[in-house]
Amino acid sequence: IPVVWDETRVLQGEVGDYILIARRNGDTWYLAAMTDWSSRNLETGLSFLGEGVYQATIFKDGPNADKNASDYLIRNQHVRRNDNVLLNLAPGGGWVAIVSPAN
């Protein structure tokens, strides 16, 4: 994960409740979300992406994440700028995606 960013966007959030941000380094975007002790379902668009197809590697809460913080799933999918992504956050949970142009 880079430590220097070309761009940062806050996509959604409520102070003290949850946040969803997107940060760009070069042509790769890093999205991250976390929530307080309330489970949340968030939906976000990807309009900040450029044209074309992107590969998204997603790290999300697993089915038992509310009881076991190390329970997570990794999923790969192709996305485009007109897609929406649904995030299901467990209580105290989080979500991360690394999105880069598909080859």
Side-chain angles (χ1 to χ4, degrees), residues 17-86:
D17 291 335
Y18 71 97
I19 190 162
L20 171 58
I21 63 170
R23 297 182 114 179
R24 182 178 60 81
N25 179 283
D27 58 1
T28 300
W29 284 90
Y30 298 80
L31 286 75
M34 66 180 182
T35 186
D36 60 8
W37 295 110
S38 299
S39 62
R40 296 189 191 278
N41 295 317
L42 304 176
E43 185 173 4
T44 189
L46 301 173
S47 62
F48 52 84
L49 295 176
E51 294 296 324
V53 178
Y54 287 76
Q55 174 68 39
T57 301
I58 299 170
F59 302 80
K60 61 184 188 171
D61 291 329
N64 298 305
D66 59 335
K67 299 172 192 73
N68 178 2
S70 63
D71 182 22
Y72 66 95
L73 302 170
I74 301 173
R75 184 172 140 196
N76 291 295
Q77 69 183 63
H78 285 103
V79 295
R80 295 178 178 269
R81 67 177 297 144
N82 60 342
D83 289 342
N84 287 330
V85 178
L86 180 62

